[in-house]
Amino acid sequence: MPTAEQLASIDPVEGDGTIVEENEDGSYVTSWPDGTVRVDESDGRVMVTFPDFSVLNIETDGTTTLNDVNGTALDPSTGQPLSGPDDTEIPTPPPTTIEELAAVIDGISTIADLAEADGILRAFGVAAVVDEEYGALFEMASALAEALEVDLSPVNWFLVPLKQLLAVITAIETEERGVAMRAWCYTTTYDAMGMGSPPVPTFSGSLGGADQDDLNRQWWNDARKQAADQLVDGQDGVALHNRVMLLIAKCGGDPSVAVTELWAAACRRSGDDGHAGLLAAYPRLSWPDPTGA
């Protein structure tokens, strides 16, 4: 991210080694030896790209926004993240079913926990998987615990393959999870801006075919409803609305920056912010038309 000194030195001065070129459209491009590039558009807008690919935009009315290469909003004066050091300040979507299941599994240590988890898994709608893949292991662990009359048992016989299953499901559902998170981000941002409900993007051309397009559309609608329900949930809904409004204010009043900031925080929480993750695939969300899939 650029330093405060870099941000304060975006105007060329004599002797700083800058090169200024005029384009045919009337814009000017100023280049610094360190790789910083400033473009002055003919309509008065200015865009400065720093060596780390952070971008400073200056609108004709003087409004400034600064974003890093991932689209994360930064303070235009200091270069520091607007969200502060604690990412939890930025609201994120509720955990997915698989994330909730993973948390349940991580808490299992005894056969009593396992018996309870078996019921939880069924409640989450994965009973068929439990019965077909791990039913025998569960029965064996239960029988052994009863025979030994102790709480502890070879519970890992069940947990290890189940964790592997959840990891596979998590990978398979990456596309749908991204759609759902973006739907949540757009819904909360539209609400904060008083724009109603975001439109459904056009889902077509998925590598998974038409069935995957339909699935993406379903996840979008489900996540949009989930966010809408959260926003009308008493004081919690008011708090969520206010936190998104505060984020938009921190982003210079620019909802396009804020929705990307929400998206980045969601990807960090879900572990989708790696080099091959969802955040890398969608570093910046479109506005006001939602980014689909």
Side-chain angles (χ1 to χ4, degrees):
M1 61 187 70
T3 64
E5 182 179 359
Q6 286 177 298
L7 290 166
S9 305
I10 60 172
D11 293 302
V13 296
E14 186 176 354
D16 64 359
T18 56
I19 299 175
V20 181
E21 298 176 315
E22 183 178 4
N23 296 321
E24 293 181 357
D25 61 0
S27 63
Y28 287 86
V29 178
T30 304
S31 303
W32 278 261
D34 67 354
T36 300
V37 176
R38 168 174 173 152
V39 178
D40 288 75
E41 301 288 354
S42 57
D43 61 4
R45 292 180 296 122
V46 175
M47 181 178 71
V48 182
T49 304
F50 295 95
D52 66 348
F53 299 106
S54 298
V55 177
L56 175 70
N57 286 293
I58 306 175
E59 302 299 330
T60 55
D61 61 359
T63 301
T64 60
T65 58
L66 177 66
N67 300 88
D68 68 13
V69 66
N70 293 319
T72 303
L74 306 174
D75 189 308
S77 299
T78 66
Q80 296 301 306
L82 284 174
S83 57
D86 185 3
D87 287 337
T88 60
E89 293 179 2
I90 302 177
T92 56
T96 63
T97 296
I98 295 301
E99 289 172 323
E100 290 181 320
L101 280 175
V104 170
I105 298 306
D106 286 339
I108 295 175
S109 60
T110 69
I111 193 62
D113 294 332
L114 180 56
E116 179 181 355
D118 180 63
I120 293 173
L121 291 170
R122 298 173 193 279
F124 272 115
V126 293
V129 174
V130 174
D131 289 339
E132 181 178 351
E133 301 291 339
Y134 306 113
L137 292 175
F138 176 76
E139 295 300 332
M140 288 174 63
S142 300
L144 181 57
E146 184 177 347
L148 296 177
E149 295 183 350
V150 294
D151 285 338
L152 295 178
S153 72
V155 69
N156 279 341
W157 293 0
F158 182 90
L159 297 186
V160 171
L162 183 55
K163 287 183 177 181
Q164 293 173 343
L165 171 68
L166 295 182
V168 170
I169 296 175
T170 298
I172 291 174
E173 290 184 346
T174 296
E175 185 172 335
E176 300 97 289
R177 184 171 63 256
V179 169
M181 291 194 302
R182 290 193 293 277
W184 188 92
C185 294
Y186 277 109
T187 302
T188 54
T189 305
Y190 263 64
D191 172 77
M193 294 295 295
M195 297 172 60
S197 182
V200 180
T202 300
F203 292 107
S204 62
S206 171
L207 295 177
D211 288 345
Q212 183 63 53
D213 291 331
D214 291 340
L215 190 59
N216 289 340
R217 193 175 298 106
Q218 177 185 331
W219 278 61
W220 174 279
N221 288 327
D222 289 346
R224 184 174 61 171
K225 182 179 184 304
Q226 183 183 41
D229 290 344
Q230 280 185 272
L231 289 165
V232 296
D233 185 17
Q235 290 301 312
D236 289 341
V238 173
L240 174 59
H241 173 86
N242 290 342
R243 290 175 69 191
V244 177
M245 287 191 65
L246 178 61
L247 175 63
I248 295 173
K250 286 183 176 180
C251 293
D254 188 342
S256 67
V257 176
V259 74
T260 294
E261 184 81 346
L262 286 170
W263 163 247
C267 289
R268 287 192 293 268
R269 183 193 58 76
S270 65
D272 291 299
D273 57 340
H275 293 299
L278 289 167
L279 185 58
Y282 299 93
R284 184 187 296 272
L285 299 189
S286 60
W287 183 267
D289 295 328
T291 299

